[in-house]
Amino acid sequence: MSILEVKEILYAYKNGKSILSNINAEFEAGKMYAILGASGSGKTTLLSLIGGLDVPKKGEILFEQENILQRGLEYYRCNHVSLIFQSYNLIDYMTPIENAELTAKKDVLPILERLGLTCEEVKRNVMKLSGGQQQRVAIARALSADTPIILADEPTGNLDEDTAVSIINILKESAHKLNKCVIVVTHSNELAAQADIVLKLERGNLHTI
Amino acid sequence: MGTIKRAYLYVTRKKGKSILLFFILLLMATFVLTGLSIAKSSQEEQRNLREVLGGEFQIVTDLSDNNPYAKKTVDSEGSVELYTEYPITQKVIDNVMTIDGIKSYNAETHTFVSVNLDVFPGNVPIKAEYNNLIYAWSVIDTQTTNFFQSEKFKLVEGEHITENKSNAAIISNALAEKNGLKLGDTISIQSDSTATAKIIGIYEILKPDPLYENIVTYEKAENQIFIDFQTLQNLFGNIPAGFGSVTFDVSDPAQLDNIISNVKKLSTIDWRAFEVTTNNETYLEAAAPLQKVQTLVITMIIIIVFVSAIILSLVLTMWGRSRIHETGIFLSLGIAKVKIIGQYLTEVLMIAVFAFGFSYLTSNTVVNQLANELLQQTASASKEQTEIVTQINGYSSDGISISVKDSSSLPDASQQQKNNVDVEIPAVGTETEETQLHTTVSTCSILQLYIIGIAIIIFSVGVSTLTIMRLKPREILSKMS
């Protein structure tokens, strides 16, 4: 049974240009999804809609059969979905622990350690960590929020190959071992190959490969 | 993570911004607190001034044609006698005293009487019939008369005439000695009728009449006798006796007009029979510089508050733009807008608590200098008015002198009114000494500062976050990327 359902989504920019038209998709827990698409195809826009950062012009997004607007997007973002960005989006005056604690519903230190951060690193200012370490902190923040859906927008875009592989494995594990629904937006075929289901966004339409 | 912890982390980690904000708030708080303290001190000084100077109004019997109760008799020799059938009685006074704000009163009247005593003759020849006439002063309380208040006379034996005394008299020790009288003896007094009064007090003359001054018998200090109101009524026979004038002291001269207005509303008194005159010019003129300082300071506080709010709003808006990224992250994490604004507000408030507290020290160092600088500036403008005060002093020749003195050494109000000799008022622009506003920062002013400061901060944070909070999270995130 799907945890998240996207029904007949339509989205257009303010200038009237349509970017998404009649998008339908279902996402299940315990699986990792990859959404592929060329630059400007609307991948990030779709992720923003699924993440409750914006509202579609038409259609609806259902979380466990309930429209996410029902309880409000703030509630949805706080309780049901976590976002991981390409640029990490960490709070620059906080340590990894403090960043992870922002929306944490469980103890963050074991999660950070499991993701490979040392005791010394977790107390350092996040801006003094490497890109890979910062992305691990972002993933730790998403995992510690303990939401059933994790959305990742080009999570390996700024990372070297080894680190990227490591991050992909963490996301896969999160889906398979922690029963999360992981949706990754990427233009990397290598990353997409690791996903359980690959979807492609083309000319405003989403279809399974 | 809670709002307060996020705010605490920001304040402690972004030290540069926090220190800069601390100094902005400190400057703002110092100005506001200084203004509030000066305004409060000015208010205090005015209150002290009011207490010390007091104010008074008089009710006087109107003997003109306007008074329907006024009567005129002319005897065979052409002497005119004016009197009223509706005089100022104790009942009238009691009615007036029901009005709030009136502290005390002093009623007196004097009338020509002849006594069965050998009086001291004057050195001015007058008509034979006046040779043995003297003044009998009828009062509610002899202690409050100008003779005793100014210490021209001093009671040396017996007691004063008070409200509940009847058939009582007080005479001078000289008159008592000349006539072999002592306390408890009775004297006979004659006017329209004859009355007897027991001597209950004897006074000594501390300030005798000038040796070479021309003075008639009835004006000689030794011949003045004091009688109670009942004895006066006995002397008048069937004509209703009353006081010529009553002076009412009010605690707060600033309220004098209101009090008089309320007095005149008393329906139990027929005001066609009386005139009401006021006297609070001394207070008004003396308080003028302080009033100007207060007006100036209140205007200054309003300007400071507005300028502070604008500056703080601009600074926070500027900083807010650099925090769009952070705001976007918080929103994407599902942190409510209200909690984000709460964090920004808490950050400023955390710094403000210290800045406002520290402004106690900075304000204390500048407040006195600034207060007296302002006072000096208003003093030059008020110099002319001060001269008017001095002229008023000239009119008040009945033992009242006004000297300029530091207001901090103003004597206790009650004591001052009791003595009624030297009223020391603060004044400025004179060549002797200058008034100083002794201003200190009070707890009340600090409390006011916190209220005003918090209001400014809430306004500024609200203004600075308005633009960001109207955006959708995705718009913020696209702005930051």
Side-chain angles (χ1 to χ4, degrees), chain B residues 333-403:
Chain B
L333 295 175
I335 295 172
K337 283 182 180 178
V338 177
K339 287 183 178 174
I340 299 170
I341 297 174
Q343 179 193 334
Y344 297 165
L345 182 65
T346 310
E347 287 165 11
V348 186
L349 289 176
M350 276 177 177
I351 299 168
V353 167
F354 291 102
F356 292 174
F358 199 73
S359 71
Y360 173 80
L361 299 175
T362 50
S363 286
N364 256 333
T365 56
V366 296
V367 73
N368 268 312
Q369 290 163 352
L370 189 64
N372 288 304
E373 182 64 33
L374 284 171
L375 200 58
Q376 289 309 311
Q377 282 176 13
T378 52
S380 54
S382 305
K383 194 172 180 182
E384 203 173 306
Q385 290 177 327
T386 309
E387 282 163 5
I388 296 167
V389 176
T390 315
Q391 285 169 14
I392 291 165
N393 174 29
Y395 290 122
S396 310
S397 56
D398 52 353
I400 297 171
S401 69
I402 298 174
S403 62

Side-chain angles (χ1 to χ4, degrees), chain A:
Chain A
M1 189 181 164
S2 65
I3 188 170
L4 186 75
E5 193 177 350
V6 176
K7 285 173 82 175
E8 297 169 1
I9 289 290
L10 187 143
Y11 190 87
Y13 292 132
K14 279 180 183 171
N15 59 15
K17 187 189 170 189
S18 179
I19 185 82
L20 301 174
S21 55
N22 199 30
I23 300 283
N24 287 288
E26 286 188 12
F27 302 93
E28 290 176 16
K31 286 184 180 169
M32 179 170 155
Y33 296 84
I35 299 175
L36 278 170
S39 295
S41 60
K43 300 189 299 291
T44 302
T45 303
L46 179 60
L47 201 73
S48 297
L49 297 175
I50 295 172
L53 297 174
D54 207 345
V55 185
K57 303 294 174 205
K58 272 185 184 172
E60 56 182 358
I61 297 163
L62 306 173
F63 173 78
E64 291 178 344
Q65 310 306 315
E66 185 186 58
N67 192 321
I68 58 170
L69 296 174
Q70 198 81 30
R71 295 195 195 187
L73 292 179
E74 261 174 16
Y75 178 84
Y76 173 68
R77 289 197 301 269
C78 186
N79 297 288
H80 302 320
V81 66
S82 297
L83 288 137
I84 299 165
F85 299 91
Q86 182 179 0
S87 52
Y88 326 128
N89 284 345
L90 299 172
I91 302 297
D92 63 357
Y93 54 84
M94 292 183 182
T95 63
I97 292 182
E98 289 157 356
N99 265 284
E101 277 177 344
L102 278 170
T103 51
K105 291 189 182 74
K106 53 168 83 167
D107 193 4
V108 299
L109 200 57
I111 299 171
L112 284 162
E113 283 174 351
R114 205 172 69 220
L115 293 176
L117 288 154
T118 64
C119 286
E120 189 271 325
E121 283 164 346
V122 296
K123 290 173 188 167
R124 209 189 286 173
N125 181 282
V126 283
M127 293 297 115
K128 289 178 179 166
L129 299 176
S130 68
Q133 285 170 323
Q134 286 189 37
Q135 193 60 295
R136 283 185 170 87
V137 176
I139 294 170
R141 185 173 65 191
L143 293 176
S144 60
D146 203 21
T147 55
I149 303 166
I150 294 174
L151 305 178
D153 187 6
E154 302 280 10
T156 58
N158 290 343
L159 305 175
D160 60 73
E161 201 174 324
D162 292 342
T163 312
V165 171
S166 158
I167 295 297
I168 291 163
N169 288 333
I170 293 168
L171 292 172
K172 256 170 80 176
E173 272 183 33
S174 303
H176 298 154
K177 291 187 180 171
L178 301 174
N179 198 36
K180 306 284 182 191
C181 170
V182 179
I183 304 169
V184 182
V185 161
T186 182
H187 59 262
S188 161
N189 288 321
E190 286 168 15
L191 195 155
Q194 301 294 317
D196 301 312
I197 296 166
V198 180
L199 302 162
K200 190 159 188 183
L201 192 61
E202 266 179 330
R203 295 186 203 91
N205 291 303
L206 189 68
H207 53 87
T208 313
I209 296 175

Side-chain angles (χ1 to χ4, degrees), chain B residues 81-102:
Chain B
E81 190 183 355
L82 292 169
Y83 68 95
T84 178
E85 289 179 336
Y86 185 23
I88 305 170
T89 58
Q90 188 60 47
K91 193 180 169 188
V92 170
I93 295 168
D94 290 343
N95 275 329
V96 174
M97 286 301 287
T98 59
I99 302 297
D100 284 340
I102 302 175

Side-chain angles (χ1 to χ4, degrees), chain B residues 321-335:
Chain B
R321 288 180 194 282
S322 68
R323 296 183 76 177
I324 287 179
H325 185 97
E326 183 186 344
T327 309
I329 296 168
F330 288 145
L331 287 172
S332 71
L333 295 175
I335 295 172

